[in-house]
Structure formats: C-alpha cells, structure tokens
Amino acid sequence: RQHVVIVLHAPGVETGQRLHVEAVALKTKEPTKKAETFAMLDDAAEMLNFHLKFSPENPEIADEEALIYHEMIPLATPKEINETLGKAINAGEMTIVNFPQQPHEQVRRKLVDLYMAITRFGEASSHLESLLKAHPKDQELLMKRARCLAVLTENKKAADLLRETIKADPHQIDAYVLLAAILRDRELDATLLGVVDEPRPHLSKLAEVVGDALRLVATDERSDDVDVEL
C-alpha cells in the first residue's frame, strides 16, 4: 500500500495532498462513487496526519487535514457518520489549539456549520465570536451568531447583533424575522410574569418592521427609510 512507501520516504505530505486533489476530482466527475471518494479522502487525511507527526509545526497541513474530514461528512454512511463527525471536530479543534496565532478561518467556518447542525450552539457561538473579530461586518456570520445567541437565550446580545445587521443591510429579511421572534418572546415572557397585560403594542411594532423589510426588498429603497430602533 501507499502507506508503506510513505513510511520509507516520509514525511508524506505530497502524497496526502495528491490524494486529496484526486478525491475532489473523483467526486466531481463521478458523484455516485461516494464510497471510493470517501476512502480516498480518508487515506489523504491519514497521510497528512502522518506528516504532522514528523513536522508538527505546520498549521497549513493541520488545517487541510481538518477540512478533509469535513469533506467526508456528506459521503459517510450511517455506520461511518459518527466516527467521521468526531474526526472532523477533533482535527479542527486540535489545529486551533496547537496553532493559536493562526486565524484558521476556513476550519472555524466549517466547525460553526457542523456545530449548528448538531445543535451545539455554544461551541458554534464561540467560533463565530472569533471570526467576527476579523470580519465584524460579515452579514452571514452576524446572522449565525444571532441565531446561536437566541437559542442560548442570550436575547439582548442577539437583538443587538440583529439591529447591527439590519442597519448594515436592510434587505436581510431573516434578520427582521429573527428579531421579531426574539422581541415577541420577550414580550410574551413579560406577560406571563405579569409585567404587562398584553403583548399587543410590541407585536404591532414588529409587524411594522417586517412590513418595512418586505417593502424595501420589493422596491429596492434605501436604508434611510428603515426604523430599527425597537
């Protein structure tokens, strides 16, 4: 097997990267050959991992290994999925811990999507916070962090992020809808506690905000017309 050749010649990075390229090509040309592609990607990741044992100070290779495992997830069978998810998470988190000075942007973005998919919103939010330090105006990242914070019931932080998102891009319908849901829940909670009699005033305002969003998208009007001071 190629593994033997790599042991003799070390460090194995060229073989791992070549296998990665070949696997991507196979996936593109023969999308039905999932098992073959999965096996090839697995071999590629093993080669890169082997290389890291000889040359541990190589964050680019560590990142590539982690990203390969993320590529394997949609190709995994039911029997393989748990192990593959574990490898993707472990490899991603290890490269971030081992090379803290590196941004690991691609790895963090993949981890965010993976954590959100398996409902581990605390971990996703943590990586989103790091990504937003480098990209504070990234609308996709802002929306994802707002969703995580909302699930974690950190509603004030979530609402603040959504207001920023709407001000930066008033065409973000999802931001209006999520902000409306957060404020609705907050008002309903206050009703249950006896703080207010009915949530109608706030819900009326929310209806206006969502209406503004729909009007903007339909007419492509400018953000100056939007009232987001909720």
Side-chain angles (χ1 to χ4, degrees):
R1 283 176 59 84
Q2 291 171 319
H3 294 73
V4 177
V5 176
I6 297 306
V7 170
L8 292 174
H9 292 88
V13 64
E14 291 183 2
T15 299
Q17 291 180 323
R18 176 178 57 77
L19 283 170
H20 187 193
V21 171
E22 290 177 0
V24 171
L26 177 63
K27 184 170 64 174
T28 302
K29 294 179 180 179
E30 303 283 351
T32 59
K33 293 186 176 181
K34 292 184 177 181
E36 293 91 332
T37 304
F38 182 93
M40 193 177 293
L41 287 170
D42 196 27
D43 281 344
E46 285 187 24
M47 294 300 99
L48 296 183
N49 182 268
F50 185 82
H51 166 79
L52 288 169
K53 293 177 181 178
F54 287 90
S55 180
E57 300 302 319
N58 197 328
E60 291 80 12
I61 297 303
D63 278 10
E64 184 173 358
E65 180 199 4
L67 292 171
I68 287 174
Y69 285 124
H70 283 276
E71 290 181 56
M72 291 168 62
I73 291 172
L75 302 172
T77 65
K79 290 183 179 180
E80 296 164 335
I81 189 63
N82 286 340
E83 182 180 359
T84 306
L85 288 171
K87 286 180 177 180
I89 290 172
N90 183 63
E93 294 290 0
M94 286 302 296
T95 186
I96 291 170
V97 169
N98 290 336
F99 305 101
Q101 303 305 316
Q102 301 296 320
H104 305 289
E105 183 169 326
Q106 283 185 286
V107 173
R108 285 189 187 276
R109 286 178 182 268
K110 291 292 186 181
L111 283 172
V112 164
D113 291 340
L114 176 52
Y115 280 137
M116 291 183 73
I118 61 176
T119 68
R120 289 172 60 170
F121 295 100
E123 290 93 336
S125 181
S126 177
H127 286 298
L128 284 163
E129 185 176 11
S130 297
L131 287 166
L132 282 166
K133 289 178 181 177
H135 306 282
K137 297 185 183 299
D138 188 309
Q139 300 299 301
E140 182 181 1
L141 295 177
L142 286 168
M143 279 298 302
K144 286 180 178 179
R145 182 138 199 264
R147 289 193 181 98
C148 289
L149 291 171
V151 173
L152 296 168
T153 67
E154 296 187 48
N155 289 343
K156 184 180 185 306
K157 290 182 180 179
D160 289 344
L161 277 180
L162 290 166
R163 290 187 180 98
E164 290 180 29
T165 302
I166 292 170
K167 286 179 179 178
D169 180 7
H171 295 76
Q172 283 271 7
I173 295 295
D174 289 346
Y176 286 93
V177 173
L178 183 54
L179 179 58
I182 290 171
L183 294 175
R184 177 200 63 204
D185 290 344
R186 185 177 70 188
E187 196 71 28
L188 291 174
D189 287 343
T191 303
L192 292 173
L193 292 171
V195 178
V196 295
D197 292 332
E198 293 185 11
R200 295 182 183 279
H202 225 90
L203 292 176
S204 176
K205 179 60 177 176
L206 296 178
E208 293 178 15
V209 172
V210 176
D212 282 341
L214 296 173
R215 175 174 56 81
L216 280 165
V217 172
T219 62
D220 197 30
E221 295 182 35
R222 303 306 302 167
S223 61
D224 295 344
D225 297 330
V226 184
D227 177 12
V228 294
E229 297 300 324
L230 298 173

